[in-house]
Amino acid sequence: LSSYQTNTGCRDRLETVVDPSYTGSPYFTSCEVAIIKSLQISGSKGPAMLAELIDEIVQVRLEWRMKKQVESVDFRVCAAHDVAPIVEKV
């Protein structure tokens, strides 16, 4: 995720991921995704599953991007800037 801008191989792989949290194929199997997303971590509101934290942060970032990028109509969440820091903390 953090090499998206500098590594074309990473960028090409990430472009195939459809899950907004960037968990899933080609990086993880569906069984691995279930385990990863169910990890218990400390969130801003106390203990939570990783999936809940990712969803919460992605939603906040998406709302911010929607306000900032109205002219460009590019509302996508950025893997390197938005999702990578979440995963790195875990």
Side-chain angles (χ1 to χ4, degrees), residues 6-45:
T6 58
N7 185 317
T8 57
C10 290
R11 186 170 41 252
D12 292 345
R13 263 192 319 278
L14 279 170
E15 295 296 328
T16 66
V17 178
V18 294
D19 188 297
S21 66
Y22 290 89
T23 55
S25 178
Y27 299 104
F28 306 103
T29 66
S30 57
C31 291
E32 291 169 327
V33 170
I35 293 168
I36 291 167
K37 287 187 172 185
S38 66
L39 288 173
Q40 293 291 315
I41 57 160
S42 263
S44 62
K45 301 171 187 169

Side-chain angles (χ1 to χ4, degrees), residues 55-70 75-77 82:
D55 290 345
E56 177 184 318
I57 292 173
V58 166
Q59 184 62 36
V60 168
R61 298 293 287 187
L62 184 58
E63 289 171 8
W64 177 80
R65 287 190 177 279
M66 289 173 69
K67 290 176 185 173
K68 182 181 176 198
Q69 311 233 358
V70 172
F75 303 121
R76 295 174 294 172
V77 173
D82 300 329

Side-chain angles (χ1 to χ4, degrees), residues 70-86:
V70 172
E71 300 84 25
S72 72
V73 194
D74 182 3
F75 303 121
R76 295 174 294 172
V77 173
C78 175
H81 295 103
D82 300 329
V83 181
I86 302 167

